[in-house]
Amino acid sequence: MKLKRKILCFLLVFILLFTAVGYAVEISIDGNRVGFTNESGIPFVDSSNRTQVPLRVTMESFGATVGWDNSTNSATVEKNGINVRIPIGQSYIIKNGQKIPNDTAAIIKDGRTYLPIRVVLEAFGASVGWDGATQTVTVTKDPLEEIKIHFIDVGQADSILIELPNNIEILIDAGNKDDAYTIINYINNLGIDHIEHFILTHFHEDHIGSAPDIIHAFYVDKVYTPETIADTDIYEATMAAIEDEDMEIIRAKGGKSIIDTASLAFEFLGPNSIYYSEANEYSLVTKLTYGDTSFLFMGDAESVSELEMVRGDYDLDVDLLKVGHHGGETSSSQIFLNEVTPAYAVISVGAFNNYGHPHEKTLNRLNAIGAKIYRTDIQGTVVATSDGSNITIDKEATEYVPEPIKEVPVKTIPTNNDDTATESTAKYIGNSNTHKLHYPSCGSVNDMKETNKVFFLLREDAISNGYIPCKRCNP
């Protein structure tokens, strides 16, 4: 009898230890095993038969960013515009503000955060399975469909068609008035008759010229415009067409999203102010993220809007940049490109245009950061394709040879410590013609003649010499 009791006690202790401690498992993400160590923590199966894995090493192996929120006692995981918050000790997670129930809570064990793997990874669109023979949790990132971005050749104008999964189409801008046939015929040839999102970046004719015809030619669900108006015939015609077709019009601005899913996000990054002195600065700036690839569409946004985005809480690092304002000198500022660092740059521009677009300085800046440059004036319509991992473009990049920089005499002002400011060291730049003082990143500096530039290290030197701070950049 005593022997039976000893055996039963032994079995009970064994079962309790097995259930409480669990057994070691492996985790494989797309065929690659996650390297767990005693330092990172080792996965185990908890008493609810759910796999708990060390948070940081697992989610970073998945390509996510891991953080901690002390105010809510929660771990945070971010990837591709998706934010998941994991409260410790609670049987749920929160994905982009939406609570998702789970039958097992995240825990702290041996000073490390562990989480139930399935619910979190599935929140990011992954497929999670179990291989009992090898005791391995298998994680697969579902292959994505291809998306296509068509930079339609409409001369000195913009029109961009984006084909997304599930037959979702986005059209950004509508070229000039004479481009209606080109745009409508191009879209028809793709078998498209429905545009879910029609974005009019701003109200210049080279961006909304064919909008009335497009609105009448296709089923359009929503039209997005900046929070401004224009006193022009084409603006009135566009608004009348929207009203005739009883379409929803949305006044957009930076910080708003159109699409936000596990693998696909489309959001507005600009504009970020309610008033600008230049109409181009009101341009709706949009970012498309698909899997691990990303695209930024600038409209005609110039350096003021660019600087706002740099200073704002935006992730500007993208793979492909649709260059602002047809490659004009007042867009694609150096401070902006330093944040964007695109591998590809597409310029929608007309051949032999009257504006000198794209400007040599803009091409120099794009070339200097290593971007491959594509131009509709040289190559016609450019089509970029993404499978969520890689971007391919149907044309070869243009060859660009920078022109030698011409040495231009400039004025300098000695500072109080007898140093001399130069273009590379100056903290402020004055215009000797207008006596306005600017930051080097101000858009007005790009319009300034080289011979009118005066460089300062100290603001008080400029003020004492009669220079007045610019109202745009407020130096």
Side-chain angles (χ1 to χ4, degrees), residues 22-61:
Y23 51 91
V25 298
E26 298 286 344
I27 296 177
S28 171
I29 299 177
D30 284 340
N32 300 310
R33 289 189 179 276
V34 178
F36 296 109
T37 64
N38 289 331
E39 184 178 348
S40 69
I42 306 295
F44 67 95
V45 177
D46 64 16
S47 58
S48 299
N49 202 33
R50 299 301 300 276
T51 302
Q52 295 274 7
V53 302
L55 171 70
R56 184 170 297 278
V57 64
T58 303
M59 298 314 296
E60 286 182 350
S61 297

Side-chain angles (χ1 to χ4, degrees), residues 402-419:
E403 290 186 0
I405 299 176
K406 299 177 182 178
E407 296 294 334
V408 180
V410 296
K411 302 181 181 72
T412 60
I413 300 286
T415 63
N416 291 336
N417 59 4
D418 293 330
D419 288 337

Side-chain angles (χ1 to χ4, degrees), residues 39-343:
E39 184 178 348
S40 69
I42 306 295
F44 67 95
V45 177
D46 64 16
S47 58
S48 299
N49 202 33
R50 299 301 300 276
T51 302
Q52 295 274 7
V53 302
L55 171 70
R56 184 170 297 278
V57 64
T58 303
M59 298 314 296
E60 286 182 350
S61 297
F62 185 71
T65 302
V66 179
W68 179 261
D69 184 352
N70 277 322
S71 64
T72 60
N73 195 35
S74 301
T76 60
V77 183
E78 294 186 55
K79 179 179 169 66
N80 294 340
I82 296 175
N83 179 286
V84 172
R85 185 160 62 85
I86 308 157
I88 302 301
Q90 302 296 324
S91 295
Y92 61 83
I93 65 172
I94 300 173
K95 174 187 173 183
N96 290 345
Q98 181 180 2
K99 187 181 289 188
I100 301 174
N102 188 34
D103 57 8
T104 305
I107 62 172
I108 302 292
K109 181 177 181 290
D110 299 330
R112 303 180 185 88
T113 303
Y114 285 74
L115 78 166
I117 187 173
R118 180 179 294 276
V119 68
V120 176
L121 288 169
E122 286 180 348
F124 286 93
S127 298
V128 181
W130 172 252
D131 184 348
T134 60
Q135 298 289 94
T136 301
V137 175
T138 58
V139 182
T140 305
K141 301 174 186 175
D142 289 337
L144 300 175
E145 300 177 40
E146 287 187 342
I147 66 168
K148 291 185 180 293
I149 299 94
H150 306 256
F151 301 89
I152 304 172
D153 180 13
V154 286
Q156 186 67 18
D158 272 16
S159 189
I160 304 163
L161 176 69
I162 303 173
E163 294 184 90
L164 298 178
N166 300 317
N167 296 317
I168 295 175
E169 323 295 344
I170 298 176
L171 183 63
I172 303 177
D173 285 332
N176 280 300
K177 189 174 182 180
D178 293 338
D179 295 321
Y181 174 79
T182 298
I183 298 170
I184 293 171
N185 190 54
Y186 188 94
I187 297 174
N188 280 334
N189 285 340
L190 294 172
I192 295 170
D193 60 6
H194 189 175
I195 296 170
E196 280 72 17
H197 307 284
F198 189 12
I199 296 167
L200 303 176
T201 60
H202 62 300
F203 297 130
H204 283 164
E205 184 179 344
D206 58 328
H207 292 257
I208 66 168
S210 296
D213 296 295
I214 290 170
I215 288 169
H216 291 309
F218 299 99
Y219 297 104
V220 178
D221 289 345
K222 297 177 181 179
V223 180
Y224 302 80
T225 74
E227 295 178 321
T228 184
I229 60 175
D231 185 19
T232 62
D233 290 341
I234 188 58
Y235 171 81
E236 297 295 337
T238 300
M239 293 300 110
I242 293 171
E243 185 175 354
D244 288 345
E245 299 293 339
D246 195 26
M247 293 175 180
E248 181 181 0
I249 185 167
I250 298 172
R251 303 291 187 176
K253 59 182 179 180
K256 302 296 183 181
S257 293
I258 293 179
I259 302 170
D260 186 3
T261 68
S263 58
L264 174 66
F266 193 83
E267 59 190 316
F268 294 99
L269 305 191
N272 292 281
S273 293
I274 59 174
Y275 173 77
Y276 297 97
S277 59
E278 298 291 336
N280 285 336
E281 302 286 14
Y282 288 97
S283 288
L284 296 179
V285 178
T286 50
K287 179 183 177 181
L288 169 65
T289 303
Y290 188 58
D292 296 324
T293 62
S294 51
F295 308 79
L296 191 58
F297 307 95
M298 295 298 298
D300 277 357
E302 299 184 7
S303 58
V304 172
S305 181
E306 291 176 351
L307 186 59
E308 287 178 338
M309 287 183 281
V310 170
R311 291 176 173 174
D313 188 23
Y314 295 116
D315 178 7
L316 298 173
D317 187 12
V318 300
D319 300 300
L320 187 150
L321 172 69
K322 183 275 168 187
V323 177
H325 199 198
H326 318 288
E329 182 182 3
T330 53
S331 298
S332 305
S333 58
Q334 191 62 57
I335 190 172
F336 178 71
L337 292 179
N338 288 345
E339 296 294 321
V340 179
T341 62

